[in-house]
């Protein structure tokens, strides 16, 4: 009997014992195609020799040095690399150990920035419903994933949430994508007017929404309008690219495809590709300059920030992605994945939407394609699909509450960047079989 408090207290999980490329093997010798890279993490697949070598080299030199006393070569080199490839104006880096830590740091940094600027009345954050920014209390407070918040609501700081940009559900029948994008962005303008924009620290959003709705991209023009509204009111823009960033959508940063740059950007998951826990905040020069000429100290820190082994690992990950032109593969195989899913599910009665960018794709399930009515929450469809996929040797990432926080199901497909065309086809086939099997289990007949 396991002594671990697992995510779910229930039947035992398979024991993962080794990995190779896009495959994870369990203790019974069963292979699983890791078609979601865990939670969009393992972007180079498993046991990549170059990454393992970089980790070993660093381990042989220095395993740890406190960041209050020392800086290290791998941390400096990683920061240089991240800034070299960052969107315009993001010239500094704060290194942490994961996505939630990155969000906590971004929230505190943005608040401290205004304190140092002499605007201490800015105390509020505006964020979006149907978003996820992490499970620590600050990150959870700005998150709009209702189920994850529920039990903790009374102990979360007050955050104002606006509707997301979610065309499949909220675009009106005769509205263009661009008109919808502007209407969705207007919600921020209204919220700022209601609160008093001078009281707001930042607007927080996932550039492409991951776990909560399954690879929902904003419509064209939405983020440009958001950037303009933030600038006009002196409100910072924090983009959470923990899941969608570091190449997942086919460009290093998802916001490149929106034509904007944030003031603070959080990254994690693909940054270390699962080889080591690491995250980071990319920080604008303006924020850094205000801090430097103010208290010259960020009132924050954790024991393991800037840890040399994760930093050396993440640097090697970035170098391999560039050396092997993997972002081209992300774009190319991403198109093949989308086309394959559309072909497989084009007429499927229970698939409402197939969406995403690069190797970041989501399938939203509905009980009725015309009305877009979701399955009942207690049907647990996404979990059933996940179970059926695991039985077929496929890992995909399920989510529920997709439509409105309570109802709706989706699965996320986010394979490693090294995936090839044949593997994409196998993934599509197994996803198709898993969805069909789950629906038969639920509805009791062939689809
Ligand atoms: N932000 C986003 C968009 C995420 O998807 C996640 C994790 O799924 C987080 C933040 C939190 O990251 P972590 O689980 O590494 O703390």
């Amino acid at each position: 009997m396991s002594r671990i408090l697992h995510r779910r207290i229930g039947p035992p999980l398979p024991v993962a014992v080794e990995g190779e490329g896009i495959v994870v093997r369990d203790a019974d010798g069963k292979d699983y195609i890791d078609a979601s890279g865990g939670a969009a993490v393992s972007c180079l697949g498993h046991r990549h020799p170059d990454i393992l070598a970089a980790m070993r080299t660093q381990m042989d030199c220095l395993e740890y040095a406190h960041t209050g006393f020392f800086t290290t070569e791998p941390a400096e080199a990683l920061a240089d690399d991240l800034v070299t490839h960052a969107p315009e104006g993001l010239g500094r880096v704060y290194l942490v150990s994961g996505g939630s830590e990155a969000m906590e740091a971004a929230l505190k940094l943005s608040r401290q920035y205004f304190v140092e600027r002499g605007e201490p009345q800015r105390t509020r954050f505006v964020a979006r419903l149907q978003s996820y920014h992490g499970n620590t209390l600050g990150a959870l407070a700005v998150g709009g994933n209702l189920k994850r918040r529920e039990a903790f609501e009374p102990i979360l700081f007050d955050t104002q949430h606006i509707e997301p940009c979610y065309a499949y559900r909220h675009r009106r029948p005769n509205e263009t994508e661009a008109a919808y994008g502007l209407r969705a962005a207007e919600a921020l303008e209204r919220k700022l007017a209601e609160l008093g924009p001078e009281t707001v620290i930042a607007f927080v959003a996932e550039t492409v929404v991951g776990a909560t709705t399954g690879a929902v991209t904003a419509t064209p023009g939405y983020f440009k309008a958001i950037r303009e509204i933030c600038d006009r009111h002196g409100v910072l823009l924090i983009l959470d690219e923990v899941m969608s960033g570091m190449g997942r959508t086919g460009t290093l940063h998802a916001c490149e495809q929106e034509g904007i740059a944030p003031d603070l950007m959080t990254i994690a998951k693909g940054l270390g590709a699962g080889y080591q826990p690491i995250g980071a905040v990319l920080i604008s020069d303006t924020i850094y300059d205000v801090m430097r000429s103010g208290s010259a100290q960020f009132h924050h820190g954790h024991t393991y920030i800037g840890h040399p082994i994760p930093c050396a690992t993440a640097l090697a990950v970035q170098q391999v992605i560039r050396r092997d032109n993997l972002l081209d593969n992300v774009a190319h195989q991403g198109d093949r994945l989308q086309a394959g899913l559309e072909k497989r599910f084009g007429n499927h009665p229970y698939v409402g939407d197939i969406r995403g960018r690069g190797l970041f794709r989501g399938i939203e399930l509905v009980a009725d394609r015309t009305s877009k009515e979701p399955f009942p929450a207690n049907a647990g469809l996404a979990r059933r699909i996940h179970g059926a996929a695991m039985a077929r040797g496929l890992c995909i990432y399920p989510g529920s509450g997709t439509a409105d926080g309570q109802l709706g199901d989706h699965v996320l497909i986010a394979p490693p960047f090294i995936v090839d065309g044949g593997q994409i086809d196998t993934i599509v086939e197994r996803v198709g079989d898993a969805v069909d099997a789950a629906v038969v289990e639920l509805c009791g007949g062939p689809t």
Side-chain angles (χ1 to χ4, degrees):
M1 208 244 264
S2 174
R3 302 282 183 188
I4 297 174
L5 172 56
H6 287 286
R7 286 170 184 251
R8 282 176 172 256
I9 303 173
L13 291 163
V15 180
V17 290
E18 62 181 334
E20 187 72 54
I22 71 162
V23 169
V24 173
R25 180 164 300 150
D26 74 13
D28 295 330
K30 178 172 171 179
D31 284 350
Y32 302 79
I33 296 181
D34 191 3
S36 57
V41 174
S42 301
C43 62
L44 292 183
H46 301 276
R47 258 196 343 199
H48 195 296
D50 298 331
I51 310 306
L52 299 182
M55 287 165 63
R56 283 188 201 107
T57 304
Q58 183 55 41
M59 279 190 254
D60 286 341
C61 290
L62 178 69
E63 80 300 334
Y64 177 74
H66 195 276
T67 44
F69 313 152
F70 296 102
T71 187
T72 60
E73 284 172 2
E76 294 293 342
L78 176 64
D80 284 347
D81 190 83
L82 291 175
V83 167
T84 303
H85 299 94
E88 183 74 28
L90 297 181
R92 305 285 161 168
V93 179
Y94 189 76
L95 295 162
V96 292
S97 304
S100 300
E101 273 191 22
M103 284 305 300
E104 296 292 330
L107 297 173
K108 288 180 73 176
L109 194 50
S110 59
R111 163 67 187 165
Q112 195 185 322
Y113 161 75
F114 280 118
V115 172
E116 308 243 341
R117 262 178 66 114
E119 295 183 59
Q121 83 287 353
R122 290 195 188 258
T123 55
R124 292 169 150 147
F125 292 95
V126 180
R128 303 192 298 181
L129 290 168
Q130 300 301 88
S131 63
Y132 177 60
H133 299 299
N135 264 332
T136 51
L137 289 174
L140 195 62
V142 290
N145 183 313
L146 300 181
K147 285 195 191 150
R148 296 198 200 215
R149 292 173 60 96
E150 210 167 25
F152 307 100
E153 199 73 51
I155 58 169
L156 300 177
F157 65 71
D158 178 40
T159 301
Q160 301 288 314
H161 290 97
I162 61 170
E163 289 288 342
C165 184
Y166 185 3
Y168 174 66
R169 293 254 162 222
H170 299 314
R171 183 164 67 89
R172 293 174 184 145
N174 293 323
E175 197 174 29
T176 63
E177 294 228 310
Y180 167 62
L182 290 182
R183 182 164 67 82
E186 276 292 306
L188 176 59
E189 185 79 61
R190 278 199 306 280
K191 182 55 80 180
L192 293 180
E194 178 192 319
L195 297 173
E198 70 288 349
T199 68
V200 176
I201 296 170
F203 176 62
V204 184
E206 287 172 82
T207 316
V208 179
V209 183
T212 311
T213 53
V216 170
T217 53
T219 51
Y222 172 80
F223 272 113
K224 281 206 169 122
I226 290 287
R227 178 75 270 185
E228 188 277 320
I229 293 167
C230 287
D231 287 346
R232 194 152 32 79
H233 295 292
V235 168
L236 297 176
L237 175 60
I238 302 176
L239 286 184
D240 177 348
E241 298 208 356
V242 166
M243 194 179 254
S244 60
M246 302 320 286
R248 179 55 57 198
T249 64
T251 47
L252 186 61
H253 303 295
C255 63
E256 289 171 45
Q257 296 178 58
E258 306 297 341
I260 58 147
D263 302 293
L264 292 161
M265 177 158 65
T266 54
I267 55 176
K269 298 190 188 272
L271 174 61
Y275 287 82
Q276 287 286 300
I278 185 164
V281 188
L282 305 188
I283 304 161
S284 78
D285 297 320
T286 312
I287 293 175
Y288 179 83
D289 289 345
V290 166
M291 305 273 292
R292 190 184 48 184
S293 55
S295 72
Q297 185 187 359
F298 181 25
H299 302 299
H300 191 63
H302 301 284
T303 301
Y304 292 121
I305 58 174
H307 193 289
I309 297 172
C311 288
T313 308
L315 180 61
V317 169
Q318 303 319 303
Q319 288 166 341
V320 167
I321 289 174
R322 283 197 294 274
R323 182 196 70 195
D324 296 349
N325 284 324
L326 288 178
L327 297 193
D328 287 352
N329 198 50
V330 172
H332 178 64
Q333 302 300 349
D335 288 346
R336 185 176 178 125
L337 178 57
Q338 178 76 21
L341 292 171
E342 282 173 8
K343 190 162 171 231
R344 177 64 175 80
F345 291 117
N347 297 313
H348 198 285
Y350 303 124
V351 171
D353 196 24
I354 302 165
R355 58 194 175 222
R357 249 178 225 158
L359 285 174
F360 197 38
R361 302 282 164 173
I363 301 174
E364 182 166 342
L365 289 307
V366 286
D368 183 312
R369 269 167 75 123
T370 313
S371 67
K372 303 182 183 176
E373 188 194 333
F375 278 88
N378 62 8
L381 180 59
R383 289 233 147 256
R384 286 176 195 266
I385 296 172
H386 177 255
M390 289 289 280
R392 286 161 178 74
L394 183 78
C395 303
I396 49 177
Y397 196 63
S400 55
T402 316
D404 59 5
Q406 301 297 339
L407 293 173
D409 297 270
H410 69 266
V411 289
L412 201 55
I413 305 167
F417 302 173
I418 55 166
V419 71
D420 67 30
Q423 291 167 331
I424 289 285
D425 298 346
T426 306
I427 290 169
V428 169
E429 196 183 304
R430 290 193 196 176
V431 173
D433 292 348
V435 169
D436 284 347
V439 167
V440 167
E441 189 183 284
L442 192 62
C443 305
T447 58

